[in-house]
Amino acid sequence: MNIREICKEAKRIGISGHVRPDGDCVGSCLGLYLYLQKLFPKKEIKVFLEKPADIFSCIKGYDEINILEDNMPEEAPFDVYFALDGRKDRLGRAEELFESAKIKVNIDHHISNAGGCGDHNYVEPDASSTSELVCDLVEEEMLDKDIATALYTGIVHDTGVFRHSCTSPKTLRTAAKLIGFDIDFPRLIEETFYEKTYVQNQIMGRALLESILIMDGKTIVSCIDKKTMDFYQVTSKDLEGIVSQIKLTKGTECAVFLYEIGTLEYKVSLRSTEKVDVAKVAEMFGGGGHVRAAGCTMNGTFHDVINNLSLHIEEQLEGTSA
Ligand code: 5GP
Ligand code: MN
């Protein structure tokens, strides 16, 4: 894929990532935004995202993001529109901007997005992150400290600081190239990945305290309801990292974390070590993701949701799935 060629004739270029943007989503969108601005200073380039967490404000361009919750997406179609880090149906309100664009481009690393949804697609399920893929597309001589900071943040977040199995030799070579731009990576990792506010730690504590082991300790489950979120005055952004933390419980193959997003409606996060393909489980319920990290939204009571998920997790743990 040649971004320079694709955008050559365009006057207006749009960029969006998935709903509830995470580090890779924000990093890849802003990395691409900064690159395009540098490449085409005269073109109109806009990023539309749901409001990302404040921790990402250290990335240049953060303040220029058009927040989807605040701005009704514009009417006039974009000449080129980039959907990053997901399929078009995960763009939320930006899906219509993508749909109406003259040229659609999809850059992603989700296994559940095989083939891609654009006129031009760069979809590599083996890549650590969309940020790594964006880095492949940026010419060496165009990279700079700001672009490197954005893309490095994305890689750090999707690899869990280079410890998930999606980390490849190429991921590390890419990261090595990026820290060569003298970015303050210890601080970036500390402040965007590990650091938690007091209430974030408190609610993580609640989730750990109330977690339960099922399937002979092979699966760990925890849930935060709306009442608890209101009590601590937290939003979904404050729950990032909880599923990875409960997954650290020795002996577990699979971790399930739910939080209530509406009446009898839960956002589900799934993680696995080795035996369970959680993308397959999430896809059963209209979601998706990666083999080791996936998610979906489910309806019903907490017990309904756990029962429905357990069926598919257990099937894989016992090796009885097709
Ligand atoms: P998380 O559990 O951190 O929200 O998401 C884990 C992975 O699954 C991420 O790569 C995320 O993009 C993907 N994912 C989470 N929820 C959904 C969903 O509802 N649909 C799809 N297609 N992917 C999801
Ligand atoms: Mn990603």
Side-chain angles (χ1 to χ4, degrees):
M1 176 181 289
N2 186 328
I3 293 184
R4 193 190 285 262
E5 273 302 307
I6 293 170
C7 297
K8 194 167 65 180
E9 308 290 340
K11 289 198 178 64
R12 299 180 71 228
I13 303 172
I15 303 168
S16 283
H18 58 76
V19 290
R20 300 188 189 90
D22 57 10
D24 184 35
C25 177
V26 181
S28 58
C29 286
L30 290 180
L32 177 64
Y33 172 67
L34 296 170
Y35 165 61
L36 286 172
Q37 275 192 327
K38 200 166 170 182
L39 205 56
F40 304 114
K42 298 222 167 69
K43 294 190 197 294
E44 186 187 341
I45 303 159
K46 289 192 163 186
V47 181
F48 289 89
L49 281 177
E50 287 187 357
K51 186 168 176 2
D54 300 337
I55 45 172
F56 299 118
S57 60
C58 55
I59 304 175
K60 192 173 173 205
Y62 176 89
D63 294 328
E64 289 148 50
I65 294 171
N66 294 276
I67 306 296
L68 279 171
E69 292 95 324
D70 303 340
N71 299 315
M72 261 315 277
E74 304 171 15
E75 294 301 319
F78 283 87
D79 299 306
V80 178
Y81 209 95
F82 288 86
L84 300 190
D85 205 28
R87 299 184 300 233
K88 62 179 178 183
D89 61 345
R90 294 206 69 220
L91 296 176
R93 288 171 78 189
E95 186 177 352
E96 59 186 272
L97 300 179
F98 182 78
E99 280 296 3
S100 63
K102 292 179 194 134
I103 301 173
K104 304 174 186 54
V105 187
N106 187 203
I107 306 173
D108 188 19
H109 69 130
H110 287 90
I111 195 156
S112 44
N113 183 18
C117 60
D119 305 308
H120 300 273
N121 299 295
Y122 185 35
V123 179
E124 296 284 334
D126 288 336
S128 69
S129 52
T130 301
S131 298
E132 181 180 331
L133 295 176
V134 170
C135 196
D136 294 345
L137 301 170
V138 176
E139 300 94 337
E140 296 260 326
E141 65 276 14
M142 293 299 285
L143 274 175
D144 59 30
K145 188 172 176 172
D146 294 328
I147 299 174
T149 302
L151 299 178
Y152 185 83
T153 304
I155 296 174
V156 160
H157 278 253
D158 259 24
T159 58
V161 194
F162 309 108
R163 76 187 201 282
H164 297 328
S165 57
C166 60
T167 310
S168 69
K170 178 178 157 266
T171 312
L172 294 176
R173 281 195 295 272
T174 304
K177 183 164 77 181
L178 297 175
I179 62 168
F181 287 91
D182 200 25
I183 60 181
D184 189 353
F185 66 87
R187 187 166 160 196
L188 201 68
I189 293 173
E190 185 69 21
E191 291 182 0
T192 72
F193 193 85
Y194 289 110
E195 197 173 86
K196 300 278 172 217
T197 63
Y198 182 64
V199 284
Q200 285 168 349
N201 271 332
Q202 289 219 307
I203 203 154
M204 164 120 48
R206 284 287 293 261
L208 288 168
L209 195 67
E210 286 163 23
S211 65
I212 46 175
L213 288 169
I214 56 173
M215 299 174 204
D216 278 339
K218 293 271 190 302
T219 295
I220 187 160
V221 173
S222 192
C223 178
I224 294 286
D225 60 17
K226 190 82 184 37
K227 223 170 57 206
T228 310
M229 288 174 73
D230 291 344
F231 177 79
Y232 289 100
Q233 295 189 318
V234 297
T235 67
S236 61
K237 290 186 193 66
D238 298 302
L239 307 177
E240 190 88 8
I242 292 182
V243 68
S244 314
Q245 188 63 43
I246 61 170
K247 180 67 207 62
L248 291 174
T249 310
K250 196 172 166 74
T252 57
E253 279 291 339
C254 195
V256 181
F257 175 65
L258 322 180
Y259 63 89
E260 204 178 358
I261 53 173
T263 313
L264 296 180
E265 193 178 16
Y266 290 91
K267 180 77 189 85
V268 179
S269 280
L270 300 162
R271 297 292 184 272
S272 84
T273 311
E274 211 177 281
K275 300 209 172 110
V276 182
D277 177 345
V278 287
K280 226 159 129 184
V281 177
E283 278 170 30
M284 298 277 181
F285 303 99
H290 310 287
V291 177
R292 303 278 162 258
C296 57
T297 297
M298 290 175 71
N299 296 301
T301 64
F302 167 73
H303 292 282
D304 293 336
V305 170
I306 294 301
N307 283 340
N308 285 328
L309 288 166
S310 305
L311 225 59
H312 296 282
I313 295 170
E314 209 157 19
E315 206 173 78
Q316 288 199 41
L317 280 173
E318 289 168 0
T320 53
S321 83

